[in-house]
Amino acid sequence: MLKMERELSRRNLLKGVGAVAGAIGLAAIAEACAPASTPVGGSSPAASVAPRRGGTVTYASSSELTTLDPPNTGDFSSVAALNLMYEGLVRYTPDLQILPALATSWEVKDTIWTFKLRQGVKFHDGSPFNAAAVKANVDRFF
């Protein structure tokens, strides 16, 4: 469990939650890069394709991306690309409801936010997703 205490304005809180949602944890890029195939018998492709290193991801955008560094992103095109690569603590529905993602639940008391983190998650390089990784990223944003 991760506990953080900080004085936050509503604007900084929303900015931080949005940034963290777009930046914490990397999505399963290896699976996205792996060739899709369905074996005879019709089982799902995810069950039959082993992750592999390397490959190419092609992304088309209506404008040039300014950065792929989440804390320095301010333009819509870069944010849209980052949302395809990173998974956050929370995610938004189209009607802007906040749902769990890498955080399975959270609790807010005054200025203390406590997130319960999903277990068994690893970054693309194999390092563990844990409270220390979340804290390092939150500290980087603020």
Side-chain angles (χ1 to χ4, degrees), residues 64-131:
E64 188 172 336
L65 305 180
T66 58
T67 183
L68 291 179
D69 183 25
N72 296 317
T73 304
D75 64 291
F76 179 78
S77 295
S78 294
V79 170
L82 288 170
N83 283 335
L84 295 172
M85 292 187 279
Y86 297 103
E87 183 171 3
L89 292 176
V90 297
R91 65 183 178 87
Y92 294 97
T93 64
D95 60 344
L96 299 180
Q97 297 296 312
I98 300 174
L99 298 177
L102 288 173
T104 58
S105 63
W106 55 93
E107 185 178 303
V108 180
K109 289 186 181 173
D110 297 320
T111 59
I112 298 174
W113 288 64
T114 304
F115 293 93
K116 182 168 173 100
L117 303 178
R118 188 169 309 283
Q119 299 295 306
V121 177
K122 294 187 184 254
F123 287 96
H124 72 287
D125 65 356
S127 61
F129 167 74
N130 54 29

Side-chain angles (χ1 to χ4, degrees), residues 3 9 19 47 73-74 128:
K3 289 189 177 191
S9 68
T73 304

Side-chain angles (χ1 to χ4, degrees), residues 15-35:
K15 177 181 166 186
V17 168
V20 170
I24 302 296
L26 293 175
I29 293 293
E31 185 176 353
C33 294

